[in-house]
Amino acid sequence: MKADRKAGACRKTPHGRQAAGTPGMDEADFPEEEFATRTEKAQRAMAAAGMDALFFTTEPEVRYFTGFRTLFWQSPTRPWFLVVPASGKPVAVIPQIGARLMASTWIDDIRTFSAPHPVDDGIGLLAEVLAPYSAIGVPMGRESALRMPLKDFQSLRDRLSGAEFLDASSLVQGLRMVKSENEIAQLREICRIGSAGFTRAPALFRAGQPLKEVFRAFRIELLTQGADDVPYLVGGAGRDGYGDVISPATDQTLQPGDVLMLDTGATRNGYFCDFDRNYAIGTASEPVKRGHATLVDAVSAAAAIARPGRTCADLYRAMAAGIGQAEGDVGRLGHGLGMQLTEAPSLTGFDETVLKEGMVLTLEPSLTLGPGKMMVHEENIVVRDGEPEFLTSRAGPDIPVIPA
């Protein structure tokens, strides 16, 4: 049943489909054609893979095919389901609390259940939707997750005993790795915001400042520049390098001779930037200067060959050679970027994923400066037919120095 967008209240139809009015709701992040195109591409891939439905439980996939964007996924209490059939629009099977927002998306068939429920958190409705299908694709591989109770998934399989569940990881990742120009525009904007925030470093950071204040000041600056949120902000600081690249802020204060690194995953309209910048406090030692220039050169080496037809392993090896790193010394030197901070593919020596135009990647080499000391540098690019497009304002080889 088509959602009646003029109605003032939600109502449930006799078949469990949801119609809802949506006065005053925000405009969608993308036009309806964006989601229709994604769905049609998925359906062509499904046909080639012998699947007649795709089944999703996780936020990125639900949002990718519907446009349903909410922070309510932070609550683990309720499951959310989406089915992409072999033809036609996706079908949502969701908690009643999400009905009004889902009705503002392009899909028509929205079936709701009371949640949390003491007996059936939507499994009965979900089984009805999936009953016609015999080959159901579900992401099962690397970087996938099942966001529902395992016992409920087992119950679903029991109800659909005649159906086969197939691994759809490569199919879905293959679709999401190549971004549309609409998606790239969102990523370009959040990277512009992140770059603008980093240009304010001399006014934000100073010697004697606690790292907690550094992080807070930078987060506020990103929000001021236009980010919707800053769900990921990590970094480190230390004399002639730092110990790791994933630490939260502490009370440690910046000292002359320190290297400060901030790595931000800010978002706008549900899309992430993911890059970092390094700063020397007061002065930079020669090893720090050389290290920063080496990292920037490694990024340039990868960008020089980042073309359709090359592989993720090619980019990895270009950076690894530039920093004098043997294969296997670190897990990866970059990754995909989009609706998630990190997405497939991975820039590793074993990932032979072929680059395609429209892929958005991070280039993220790192090196050791001494015992317990390291540096990392990261930029965001779009693979193009020719030179890649840098979404981030590229760092130069000279490490910026913030006066002590």
Side-chain angles (χ1 to χ4, degrees):
M1 182 175 188
K2 180 67 178 178
D4 179 5
R5 304 194 180 192
K6 296 181 181 179
C10 298
R11 66 180 185 274
K12 184 177 290 185
T13 73
H15 298 289
R17 294 174 176 83
Q18 186 68 38
T22 58
M25 298 193 76
D26 291 340
E27 292 296 320
D29 295 329
F30 299 114
E32 182 173 312
E33 291 76 15
E34 174 81 14
F35 303 105
T37 298
R38 295 176 185 180
T39 301
E40 289 163 5
K41 287 181 178 179
Q43 289 165 338
R44 289 195 294 272
M46 290 161 57
M51 300 176 189
D52 49 18
L54 294 175
F55 167 51
F56 300 113
T57 64
T58 49
E59 188 273 343
E61 284 71 34
V62 172
R63 176 154 55 101
Y64 183 77
F65 287 105
T66 67
F68 182 75
R69 180 162 66 88
T70 174
L71 291 177
F72 202 70
W73 288 90
Q74 295 293 329
S75 169
T77 304
R78 300 167 177 85
W80 304 75
F81 308 119
L82 188 77
V83 175
V84 178
S87 62
K89 295 183 179 183
V91 179
V93 181
I94 63 172
Q96 173 68 29
I97 197 170
R100 183 172 180 268
L101 182 58
M102 185 64 81
S104 71
T105 73
W106 79 297
I107 70 171
D108 306 318
D109 196 344
I110 304 169
R111 313 189 188 193
T112 64
F113 55 93
S114 176
H117 193 277
V119 177
D120 184 353
D121 264 341
I123 301 304
L125 276 177
L126 180 61
E128 290 178 10
V129 173
L130 289 172
Y133 307 113
S134 58
I136 302 168
V138 183
M140 300 179 184
R142 191 187 302 272
E143 300 189 27
S144 67
L146 184 69
R147 192 185 181 278
M148 63 184 296
L150 182 58
K151 65 179 182 61
D152 283 357
F153 184 64
Q154 292 170 334
S155 173
L156 178 67
R157 296 193 66 170
D158 290 342
R159 294 174 186 233
L160 303 172
S161 57
E164 182 181 10
F165 285 80
L166 305 173
D167 186 3
S169 295
S170 61
L171 185 157
V172 176
Q173 289 178 354
L175 293 170
R176 288 185 51 199
M177 280 192 290
V178 179
K179 270 58 179 183
S180 70
E181 288 302 320
N182 284 331
E183 290 181 285
I184 291 169
Q186 298 280 12
L187 290 160
R188 185 182 295 116
E189 177 62 10
I190 188 57
C191 287
R192 183 199 66 77
I193 289 169
S195 296
F198 278 123
T199 65
R200 292 271 297 148
L204 298 175
F205 312 138
R206 65 186 186 279
Q209 187 179 24
L211 282 181
K212 284 185 177 179
E213 186 178 326
V214 169
F215 279 48
R216 186 179 301 112
F218 190 59
R219 181 174 280 111
I220 291 171
E221 181 62 31
L222 291 171
L223 295 172
T224 301
Q225 292 284 350
D228 292 336
D229 199 3
V230 190
Y232 186 82
L233 181 59
V234 297
R239 188 169 186 83
D240 293 335
Y242 32 86
D244 69 77
V245 296
I246 63 171
S247 290
T250 67
D251 290 322
Q252 173 190 343
T253 58
L254 294 179
Q255 300 296 321
D258 279 356
V259 178
L260 167 68
M261 184 277 289
L262 291 176
D263 183 356
T264 181
T267 62
R268 184 175 174 88
N269 292 339
Y271 280 77
F272 277 90
C273 66
D274 180 20
F275 66 109
D276 72 10
R277 290 294 180 262
N278 291 277
Y279 302 95
I281 307 301
T283 185
S285 67
E286 288 304 314
V288 166
K289 291 178 181 178
R290 289 194 300 270
H292 190 270
T294 297
L295 291 170
V296 171
D297 287 346
V299 165
S300 295
I305 63 169
R307 305 290 190 275
R310 300 302 292 262
T311 68
C312 291
D314 290 337
L315 301 190
Y316 172 88
R317 293 182 186 116
M319 287 185 282
I323 59 179
Q325 176 177 281
E327 194 165 319
D329 285 352
V330 69
R332 63 182 181 181
L333 299 179
H335 52 79
L337 176 69
M339 294 192 303
Q340 292 172 280
L341 182 74
T342 70
E343 298 182 351
S346 289
L347 302 189
T348 65
F350 62 81
D351 193 329
E352 296 293 341
T353 299
V354 176
L355 302 185
K356 296 181 180 179
E357 185 171 7
M359 283 185 174
V360 177
L361 304 171
T362 72
L363 304 177
E364 191 177 4
S366 62
L367 52 75
T368 299
L369 293 179
K373 300 291 184 178
M374 66 178 300
M375 286 183 68
V376 61
H377 175 59
E378 187 173 17
E379 303 279 7
N380 301 162
I381 66 168
V382 184
V383 177
R384 295 296 194 184
D385 185 11
E387 291 186 5
E389 174 188 357
F390 273 77
L391 298 177
T392 45
S393 296
R394 296 182 69 173
D398 296 332
I399 186 170
V401 177
I402 295 176

